[in-house]
Amino acid sequence: VLIVDFGSQYTQLIARRVREAGVYSEILPCTASDAQIRASAPSAVILSGGPESVNAVAPPRAPASVFELGVPVLGICYGMQTMAQQLGGQVEPADHREFGYAEISLQGACRLFEGLADRRDAAGRAVLDVWMSHGDRVARLPPGFIAVGASDNAPLAAIADEARRFYAVQFHPEVTHTLQGARMLERFVR
């Protein structure tokens, strides 16, 4: 599994979680060339979080080849935002920055979350306890994606394009505060 690093303080932790799931991983910087990405021949790609805003003048972007390899891609936090923007969605500043505990209500069928829940809400939907750290949020889905999870501050907190096996989450599954995070990452890499 190739992890594309956007400067997250958790990139090494993502790699560790992947390895704990019994899968080899490598990290390349987001400045890696398309040739470097292709040469790594990944079976899946994870786009890490990072401190930047995709709405900056010259934000870091995922190499285009990431989306052309035909392998599953998971965007985490900034990785979600750049994926959404690069694939035709829209990202905007959130009403307020979100840092710390949050609840995600799952609202659509998605292989990434199937059977995962920390509890159920009054409507019977699965709820996940997660760790957030973001100032921007996805405001419009890219073509082909559906919303599969929402928080109070991020109506598009988890999105999926099952046909292409592209998934993105606004929260950090690699940290222990996201209780189902390790299971979610293991499901993605396996």
Side-chain angles (χ1 to χ4, degrees):
V1 172
L2 175 63
I3 300 164
V4 178
D5 182 17
F6 288 94
S8 170
Q9 61 184 339
Y10 299 127
T11 299
Q12 294 292 332
L13 185 55
I14 296 169
R16 177 179 170 185
R17 297 288 181 241
V18 170
R19 291 174 186 146
E20 287 172 348
V23 177
Y24 178 75
S25 66
E26 292 182 355
I27 299 170
L28 283 177
C30 62
T31 54
S33 69
D34 284 323
Q36 288 173 297
I37 298 293
R38 290 183 196 287
S40 71
S43 59
V45 176
I46 297 175
L47 306 175
S48 84
E52 303 293 332
S53 169
V54 297
N55 293 315
V57 175
R61 294 172 52 89
S65 59
V66 163
F67 306 114
E68 299 164 356
L69 294 171
V71 301
V73 179
L74 172 63
I76 296 174
C77 198
Y78 182 90
M80 173 189 192
Q81 295 163 8
T82 196
M83 176 191 282
Q85 189 176 73
Q86 287 182 237
L87 296 177
Q90 181 181 351
V91 176
E92 67 183 16
D95 294 335
H96 65 277
R97 296 181 65 84
E98 196 168 25
F99 180 80
Y101 172 80
E103 293 180 352
I104 300 292
S105 295
L106 299 179
Q107 56 196 32
C110 175
R111 285 182 283 189
L112 194 62
F113 298 109
E114 189 175 318
L116 299 182
D118 291 314
R119 69 188 153 286
R120 301 262 171 202
D121 66 12
R125 292 180 301 233
V127 175
L128 299 177
D129 294 325
V130 302
W131 191 261
M132 294 277 207
S133 177
H134 66 98
D136 293 338
R137 66 181 185 186
V138 175
R140 187 181 73 236
L141 291 170
F145 281 79
I146 62 167
V148 294
S151 72
D152 289 341
N153 193 45
L156 301 174
I159 62 176
D161 178 337
E162 291 282 3
R164 291 187 284 181
R165 299 175 299 166
F166 288 176
Y167 305 95
V169 295
Q170 188 58 70
F171 58 89
H172 289 274
E174 69 275 18
V175 300
T176 57
H177 302 351
T178 299
L179 302 181
Q180 300 295 325
R183 290 180 63 200
M184 190 192 90
L185 284 171
E186 182 174 9
R187 180 169 293 160
F188 175 75
V189 300
R190 294 201 165 266

